[in-house]
Amino acid sequence: MEPKILSGKECAASVNAETQAMAEKYIEKYGIAPALAVILIGDDPASCVYVNSKAQKCVELGLRSEKFLLDKDATMEEVLALIDKLNNDPTIHGILVQSPPPPQIDEEKVIAAIDPAKDVDCFHALNVGKMLIGKTDGFFPCTPYGVLKILEYYNIDPAGKHVVVIGRSNIVGKPLMALMVQKAKGANATVTCVHSGTRDLASYTRQADILIAAIGKSEFVKADMVKEGAVVIDVGINRIPDATKKSGSRLTGDVAYAEVAPKTSAITPVPGGVGPMTIAMLMRNTVRAALMAAGEKL
């Protein structure tokens, strides 16, 4: 079987074009650009790359990006004071704190301090609660939102299908369960979540019409864990040693792509699958936040 490759790059380009058009209309109407504030505490190299990529995408789409760099020894008081300042700045529409912060920073308190109307990552309890009960006037978390968009873009309807999610993180697994089970377009699935505490995990994954791997273990999903003709969405991104590469390492997903792909009807690659969608949906959430702040109905 020759699987359909679900390109996140292609889908993200489509989403970004729509977001750019929304931003242009907002700027024309209100005279300012939708703005995203990103707080980075410390100088972790990977975090710096993520922050810069978000800033670059803002510029590309006509959004305004504000970076706030705090010392790695910054105190909770300093972080909370900055968040309070941004909460009260009407020209800032989205706020996120790059994760993970240094150990002296309580991430839960930081998330709770962000104004839910500016919580474009959808980590605040209010937005998580809205998502769970099916409200659409908040935000959806970026990576799960991106998964839904990929399925929509490629006309893969989860309705009535068995979706199995591997992983129960607050960032991907749990929100995906909540979104997929909703009585709504692009959802309405029967959802099973499996994780490290699941006995005979493969007996569940083999039942999946749509299998979503978000466990953070390189090439965890093997061919014998996948039903013939299933759709496989690989959320994982892992860097593993590889002496054949100039860099000494390579990127893998949570799915052993080479052996799994031939069994599938459709599959996301790594890289180039879900990854580009995360930033695309962050940009979309930021423009939505600006529109909602202006009293627009979405």
Side-chain angles (χ1 to χ4, degrees), residues 96-160:
L96 67 85
V97 179
Q98 184 63 41
S99 184
Q104 79 274 14
I105 302 301
D106 186 327
E107 193 165 14
E108 284 189 17
K109 287 184 179 178
V110 166
I111 291 168
I114 296 172
D115 181 347
K118 299 187 179 188
D119 169 43
V120 288
D121 259 341
C122 188
F123 290 159
H124 194 284
L126 180 63
N127 286 322
V128 173
K130 283 185 174 183
M131 174 187 63
L132 186 61
I133 63 175
K135 294 288 187 181
T136 57
D137 61 342
F139 304 102
F140 293 161
C142 302
T143 300
Y145 195 9
V147 170
L148 263 62
K149 277 292 180 182
I150 286 177
L151 295 175
E152 177 189 316
Y153 183 78
Y154 286 100
N155 297 310
I156 298 169
D157 188 358

Side-chain angles (χ1 to χ4, degrees), residues 19 22-37 62-64 89-95 115-120 137-139 281-298:
T19 300
M22 291 167 64
E24 287 170 354
K25 287 181 181 178
Y26 178 89
I27 294 166
E28 183 179 347
K29 187 172 182 178
Y30 297 104
I32 62 170
L36 174 66
L63 282 66
R64 184 164 61 89
D89 184 344
T91 69
I92 295 293
H93 305 104
I95 303 170
D115 181 347
K118 299 187 179 188
D119 169 43
V120 288
D137 61 342
F139 304 102
M281 302 327 295
L282 174 64
M283 299 297 109
R284 174 62 58 88
N285 279 350
T286 300
V287 176
R288 278 176 55 87
L291 289 166
M292 288 190 290
E296 302 268 0
K297 289 187 177 180
L298 303 179

Side-chain angles (χ1 to χ4, degrees), residues 6-9 12 142-144 146-147 150 172 212-213 233-236 268-280:
L6 306 179
S7 169
K9 288 183 180 179
C142 302
T143 300
V147 170
I150 286 177
V172 181
I212 304 172
I233 306 293
D234 190 351
V235 179
T268 58
V270 174
V274 175
M277 294 304 301
T278 299
I279 290 183

Side-chain angles (χ1 to χ4, degrees), residues 43-121:
D43 55 0
D44 176 74
S47 292
C48 289
V49 169
Y50 291 141
V51 167
N52 288 336
S53 65
K54 291 165 184 173
Q56 181 181 345
K57 187 58 66 176
C58 280
V59 172
E60 288 176 14
L61 302 185
L63 282 66
R64 184 164 61 89
S65 172
E66 293 284 347
K67 290 192 293 184
F68 296 87
L69 308 179
L70 299 180
D71 188 81
K72 68 181 188 323
D73 297 319
T75 65
M76 273 295 296
E77 289 73 20
E78 289 172 314
V79 175
L80 293 177
L82 175 56
I83 291 171
D84 184 62
K85 178 183 175 183
L86 297 172
N87 281 342
N88 290 290
D89 184 344
T91 69
I92 295 293
H93 305 104
I95 303 170
L96 67 85
V97 179
Q98 184 63 41
S99 184
Q104 79 274 14
I105 302 301
D106 186 327
E107 193 165 14
E108 284 189 17
K109 287 184 179 178
V110 166
I111 291 168
I114 296 172
D115 181 347
K118 299 187 179 188
D119 169 43
V120 288
D121 259 341

